Short mmCIF file of all heavy atoms in Angstrom, two decimals:
data_model
loop_
_atom_site.label_atom_id
_atom_site.label_comp_id
_atom_site.label_asym_id
_atom_site.label_seq_id
_atom_site.Cartn_x
_atom_site.Cartn_y
_atom_site.Cartn_z
N LYS U 3 -104.99 15.70 166.46
CA LYS U 3 -104.84 16.51 167.67
C LYS U 3 -104.04 17.78 167.42
O LYS U 3 -104.34 18.83 167.97
CB LYS U 3 -104.17 15.67 168.76
CG LYS U 3 -105.03 14.56 169.28
CD LYS U 3 -104.29 13.78 170.33
CE LYS U 3 -105.11 12.57 170.75
NZ LYS U 3 -104.42 11.77 171.75
N PHE U 4 -103.02 17.70 166.61
CA PHE U 4 -102.18 18.86 166.33
C PHE U 4 -102.98 19.98 165.67
O PHE U 4 -102.82 21.14 166.02
CB PHE U 4 -101.00 18.46 165.44
CG PHE U 4 -100.15 19.64 165.04
CD1 PHE U 4 -99.31 20.23 165.97
CD2 PHE U 4 -100.21 20.15 163.75
CE1 PHE U 4 -98.53 21.33 165.61
CE2 PHE U 4 -99.45 21.24 163.39
CZ PHE U 4 -98.59 21.83 164.33
N MET U 5 -103.83 19.63 164.74
CA MET U 5 -104.60 20.64 164.00
C MET U 5 -105.55 21.41 164.93
O MET U 5 -105.84 22.56 164.69
CB MET U 5 -105.38 19.99 162.86
CG MET U 5 -104.48 19.38 161.80
SD MET U 5 -103.31 20.55 161.07
CE MET U 5 -104.43 21.49 160.06
N LYS U 6 -106.01 20.78 166.00
CA LYS U 6 -106.91 21.45 166.94
C LYS U 6 -106.18 22.60 167.65
O LYS U 6 -106.76 23.63 167.95
CB LYS U 6 -107.43 20.47 167.99
CG LYS U 6 -108.44 19.48 167.47
CD LYS U 6 -108.70 18.42 168.50
CE LYS U 6 -109.93 18.71 169.29
NZ LYS U 6 -110.28 17.58 170.18
N PHE U 7 -104.88 22.41 167.91
CA PHE U 7 -104.13 23.40 168.67
C PHE U 7 -103.31 24.34 167.80
O PHE U 7 -102.70 25.27 168.30
CB PHE U 7 -103.21 22.69 169.66
CG PHE U 7 -103.98 21.91 170.69
CD1 PHE U 7 -104.05 20.53 170.61
CD2 PHE U 7 -104.64 22.56 171.71
CE1 PHE U 7 -104.75 19.80 171.55
CE2 PHE U 7 -105.37 21.84 172.65
CZ PHE U 7 -105.42 20.47 172.57
N LEU U 8 -103.31 24.15 166.52
CA LEU U 8 -102.51 24.99 165.61
C LEU U 8 -102.86 26.48 165.72
O LEU U 8 -101.95 27.30 165.85
CB LEU U 8 -102.64 24.50 164.16
CG LEU U 8 -101.78 25.24 163.15
CD1 LEU U 8 -100.31 25.11 163.51
CD2 LEU U 8 -102.04 24.70 161.76
N PRO U 9 -104.14 26.87 165.71
CA PRO U 9 -104.43 28.31 165.83
C PRO U 9 -103.89 28.92 167.13
O PRO U 9 -103.39 30.04 167.13
CB PRO U 9 -105.95 28.38 165.78
CG PRO U 9 -106.37 27.14 165.07
CD PRO U 9 -105.35 26.11 165.47
N VAL U 10 -103.95 28.20 168.22
CA VAL U 10 -103.44 28.69 169.49
C VAL U 10 -101.92 28.82 169.42
O VAL U 10 -101.35 29.82 169.85
CB VAL U 10 -103.85 27.75 170.65
CG1 VAL U 10 -103.20 28.17 171.95
CG2 VAL U 10 -105.36 27.73 170.79
N ALA U 11 -101.25 27.84 168.86
CA ALA U 11 -99.79 27.86 168.74
C ALA U 11 -99.34 29.03 167.88
O ALA U 11 -98.38 29.72 168.20
CB ALA U 11 -99.28 26.54 168.18
N VAL U 12 -100.03 29.28 166.78
CA VAL U 12 -99.68 30.39 165.90
C VAL U 12 -99.88 31.72 166.62
O VAL U 12 -99.04 32.61 166.55
CB VAL U 12 -100.51 30.34 164.59
CG1 VAL U 12 -100.33 31.61 163.79
CG2 VAL U 12 -100.11 29.12 163.77
N ALA U 13 -100.98 31.86 167.34
CA ALA U 13 -101.24 33.11 168.07
C ALA U 13 -100.19 33.35 169.14
O ALA U 13 -99.71 34.46 169.32
CB ALA U 13 -102.64 33.06 168.69
N MET U 14 -99.80 32.31 169.85
CA MET U 14 -98.79 32.45 170.90
C MET U 14 -97.43 32.80 170.31
O MET U 14 -96.68 33.59 170.88
CB MET U 14 -98.71 31.19 171.73
CG MET U 14 -99.93 30.98 172.61
SD MET U 14 -99.92 29.41 173.49
CE MET U 14 -98.48 29.57 174.51
N ALA U 15 -97.08 32.25 169.18
CA ALA U 15 -95.80 32.53 168.54
C ALA U 15 -95.73 33.97 168.06
O ALA U 15 -94.66 34.56 168.00
CB ALA U 15 -95.57 31.57 167.37
N ALA U 16 -96.86 34.57 167.74
CA ALA U 16 -96.87 35.94 167.22
C ALA U 16 -96.74 36.98 168.32
O ALA U 16 -96.40 38.12 168.06
CB ALA U 16 -98.16 36.18 166.45
N VAL U 17 -96.94 36.61 169.57
CA VAL U 17 -96.90 37.58 170.67
C VAL U 17 -95.56 38.30 170.76
O VAL U 17 -95.54 39.52 170.83
CB VAL U 17 -97.27 36.91 172.02
CG1 VAL U 17 -97.00 37.84 173.19
CG2 VAL U 17 -98.74 36.51 171.99
N PRO U 18 -94.41 37.62 170.74
CA PRO U 18 -93.15 38.36 170.82
C PRO U 18 -92.99 39.37 169.69
O PRO U 18 -92.46 40.45 169.90
CB PRO U 18 -92.08 37.27 170.75
CG PRO U 18 -92.77 36.04 171.23
CD PRO U 18 -94.20 36.19 170.76
N PHE U 19 -93.45 39.06 168.50
CA PHE U 19 -93.34 40.00 167.39
C PHE U 19 -94.23 41.21 167.62
O PHE U 19 -93.86 42.33 167.30
CB PHE U 19 -93.69 39.31 166.07
CG PHE U 19 -92.73 38.21 165.71
CD1 PHE U 19 -93.12 36.89 165.75
CD2 PHE U 19 -91.42 38.50 165.36
CE1 PHE U 19 -92.23 35.87 165.44
CE2 PHE U 19 -90.52 37.50 165.06
CZ PHE U 19 -90.93 36.18 165.10
N ALA U 20 -95.40 41.01 168.19
CA ALA U 20 -96.29 42.13 168.49
C ALA U 20 -95.67 43.04 169.53
O ALA U 20 -95.75 44.26 169.42
CB ALA U 20 -97.65 41.61 168.97
N VAL U 21 -95.03 42.47 170.53
CA VAL U 21 -94.38 43.27 171.57
C VAL U 21 -93.23 44.06 170.96
O VAL U 21 -93.07 45.24 171.23
CB VAL U 21 -93.90 42.37 172.73
CG1 VAL U 21 -93.04 43.16 173.70
CG2 VAL U 21 -95.10 41.76 173.45
N GLN U 22 -92.43 43.41 170.12
CA GLN U 22 -91.31 44.11 169.48
C GLN U 22 -91.79 45.24 168.59
O GLN U 22 -91.16 46.27 168.50
CB GLN U 22 -90.48 43.12 168.66
CG GLN U 22 -89.68 42.17 169.51
CD GLN U 22 -88.93 41.16 168.68
OE1 GLN U 22 -89.04 41.13 167.45
NE2 GLN U 22 -88.16 40.33 169.33
N ALA U 23 -92.92 45.07 167.93
CA ALA U 23 -93.43 46.09 167.03
C ALA U 23 -93.82 47.35 167.78
O ALA U 23 -93.82 48.42 167.21
CB ALA U 23 -94.62 45.54 166.24
N GLN U 24 -94.13 47.23 169.07
CA GLN U 24 -94.52 48.38 169.87
C GLN U 24 -93.33 49.21 170.31
O GLN U 24 -93.49 50.33 170.76
CB GLN U 24 -95.31 47.92 171.09
CG GLN U 24 -96.62 47.28 170.74
CD GLN U 24 -97.29 46.67 171.96
OE1 GLN U 24 -96.75 46.68 173.05
NE2 GLN U 24 -98.48 46.15 171.77
N GLN U 25 -92.12 48.67 170.22
CA GLN U 25 -90.93 49.40 170.62
C GLN U 25 -90.46 50.28 169.48
O GLN U 25 -90.08 49.78 168.44
CB GLN U 25 -89.81 48.44 171.01
CG GLN U 25 -90.08 47.63 172.23
CD GLN U 25 -88.92 46.69 172.55
OE1 GLN U 25 -88.02 46.52 171.76
NE2 GLN U 25 -88.97 46.09 173.71
N PRO U 26 -90.47 51.60 169.67
CA PRO U 26 -89.98 52.46 168.59
C PRO U 26 -88.46 52.38 168.48
O PRO U 26 -87.78 52.09 169.46
CB PRO U 26 -90.41 53.85 169.05
CG PRO U 26 -90.47 53.75 170.53
CD PRO U 26 -90.91 52.34 170.82
N ALA U 27 -87.96 52.59 167.29
CA ALA U 27 -86.52 52.60 167.07
C ALA U 27 -85.93 53.82 167.78
O ALA U 27 -86.47 54.92 167.69
CB ALA U 27 -86.21 52.66 165.59
N ALA U 28 -84.85 53.61 168.50
CA ALA U 28 -84.20 54.69 169.22
C ALA U 28 -83.41 55.57 168.26
O ALA U 28 -82.96 55.11 167.21
CB ALA U 28 -83.26 54.11 170.27
N LYS U 29 -83.25 56.84 168.61
CA LYS U 29 -82.46 57.75 167.78
C LYS U 29 -80.97 57.64 168.09
O LYS U 29 -80.15 58.01 167.27
CB LYS U 29 -82.94 59.19 167.97
CG LYS U 29 -84.30 59.41 167.37
CD LYS U 29 -84.67 60.87 167.34
CE LYS U 29 -86.03 61.01 166.66
NZ LYS U 29 -86.46 62.40 166.61
N ILE U 30 -80.66 57.15 169.29
CA ILE U 30 -79.25 56.89 169.58
C ILE U 30 -79.07 55.38 169.74
O ILE U 30 -79.99 54.68 170.15
CB ILE U 30 -78.76 57.65 170.83
CG1 ILE U 30 -79.46 57.16 172.10
CG2 ILE U 30 -78.92 59.14 170.69
CD1 ILE U 30 -78.78 57.63 173.36
N SER U 31 -77.91 54.90 169.41
CA SER U 31 -77.67 53.46 169.47
C SER U 31 -77.38 53.04 170.91
O SER U 31 -77.07 53.86 171.78
CB SER U 31 -76.48 53.10 168.59
OG SER U 31 -75.28 53.60 169.17
N LYS U 32 -77.47 51.74 171.13
CA LYS U 32 -77.15 51.21 172.45
C LYS U 32 -75.69 51.51 172.79
O LYS U 32 -75.38 51.85 173.94
CB LYS U 32 -77.41 49.70 172.49
CG LYS U 32 -77.17 49.10 173.86
CD LYS U 32 -77.50 47.62 173.89
CE LYS U 32 -77.22 47.04 175.26
NZ LYS U 32 -77.47 45.61 175.32
N ALA U 33 -74.81 51.41 171.82
CA ALA U 33 -73.39 51.69 172.06
C ALA U 33 -73.18 53.15 172.47
O ALA U 33 -72.38 53.43 173.38
CB ALA U 33 -72.57 51.37 170.82
N GLN U 34 -73.90 54.06 171.83
CA GLN U 34 -73.80 55.47 172.21
C GLN U 34 -74.33 55.68 173.63
O GLN U 34 -73.73 56.41 174.42
CB GLN U 34 -74.59 56.34 171.24
CG GLN U 34 -73.98 56.44 169.86
CD GLN U 34 -74.90 57.11 168.87
OE1 GLN U 34 -76.09 56.78 168.78
NE2 GLN U 34 -74.36 58.07 168.13
N ALA U 35 -75.44 55.02 173.95
CA ALA U 35 -76.02 55.14 175.29
C ALA U 35 -75.08 54.57 176.34
O ALA U 35 -74.93 55.14 177.42
CB ALA U 35 -77.38 54.46 175.33
N GLU U 36 -74.42 53.46 176.02
CA GLU U 36 -73.46 52.86 176.95
C GLU U 36 -72.32 53.84 177.23
O GLU U 36 -71.91 54.01 178.39
CB GLU U 36 -72.87 51.58 176.38
CG GLU U 36 -73.80 50.39 176.44
CD GLU U 36 -73.19 49.14 175.83
OE1 GLU U 36 -72.04 49.17 175.33
OE2 GLU U 36 -73.87 48.10 175.86
N ALA U 37 -71.81 54.49 176.20
CA ALA U 37 -70.72 55.45 176.37
C ALA U 37 -71.16 56.62 177.26
O ALA U 37 -70.40 57.06 178.13
CB ALA U 37 -70.24 55.96 175.01
N ILE U 38 -72.38 57.10 177.07
CA ILE U 38 -72.92 58.18 177.89
C ILE U 38 -73.02 57.73 179.34
O ILE U 38 -72.61 58.45 180.27
CB ILE U 38 -74.30 58.63 177.35
CG1 ILE U 38 -74.13 59.30 175.98
CG2 ILE U 38 -74.99 59.57 178.34
CD1 ILE U 38 -75.42 59.48 175.21
N ALA U 39 -73.55 56.53 179.56
CA ALA U 39 -73.72 56.02 180.92
C ALA U 39 -72.38 55.80 181.61
O ALA U 39 -72.22 56.17 182.79
CB ALA U 39 -74.52 54.71 180.88
N LEU U 40 -71.41 55.23 180.90
CA LEU U 40 -70.11 54.96 181.51
C LEU U 40 -69.32 56.23 181.78
O LEU U 40 -68.50 56.27 182.69
CB LEU U 40 -69.31 53.99 180.64
CG LEU U 40 -69.81 52.55 180.66
CD1 LEU U 40 -69.11 51.72 179.60
CD2 LEU U 40 -69.65 51.94 182.05
N LYS U 41 -69.57 57.28 181.00
CA LYS U 41 -68.92 58.56 181.26
C LYS U 41 -69.46 59.15 182.57
O LYS U 41 -68.71 59.70 183.38
CB LYS U 41 -69.15 59.54 180.11
CG LYS U 41 -68.42 60.84 180.28
CD LYS U 41 -68.57 61.73 179.07
CE LYS U 41 -67.80 63.03 179.28
NZ LYS U 41 -68.00 63.94 178.15
N ALA U 42 -70.76 58.99 182.80
CA ALA U 42 -71.39 59.51 184.02
C ALA U 42 -71.08 58.62 185.23
O ALA U 42 -71.02 59.12 186.35
CB ALA U 42 -72.90 59.61 183.82
N ALA U 43 -70.91 57.33 184.99
CA ALA U 43 -70.71 56.38 186.08
C ALA U 43 -69.71 55.30 185.66
O ALA U 43 -70.11 54.23 185.20
CB ALA U 43 -72.04 55.75 186.47
N PRO U 44 -68.42 55.59 185.76
CA PRO U 44 -67.42 54.60 185.35
C PRO U 44 -67.56 53.29 186.13
O PRO U 44 -67.88 53.30 187.32
CB PRO U 44 -66.09 55.29 185.69
CG PRO U 44 -66.41 56.75 185.74
CD PRO U 44 -67.82 56.83 186.24
N GLY U 45 -67.39 52.19 185.44
CA GLY U 45 -67.49 50.87 186.05
C GLY U 45 -67.71 49.82 184.99
O GLY U 45 -67.37 50.01 183.83
#
Side-chain angles (χ1 to χ4, degrees):
K3 292 179 186 179
F4 176 74
M5 296 303 286
K6 288 170 98 173
F7 296 105
L8 184 60
V10 174
V12 170
M14 289 175 63
V17 170
F19 296 110
V21 171
Q22 288 177 357
Q24 295 172 357
Q25 294 180 349
K29 290 190 178 179
I30 65 166
S31 70
K32 183 177 179 183
Q34 289 170 313
E36 284 179 359
I38 292 166
L40 288 171
K41 184 175 181 183

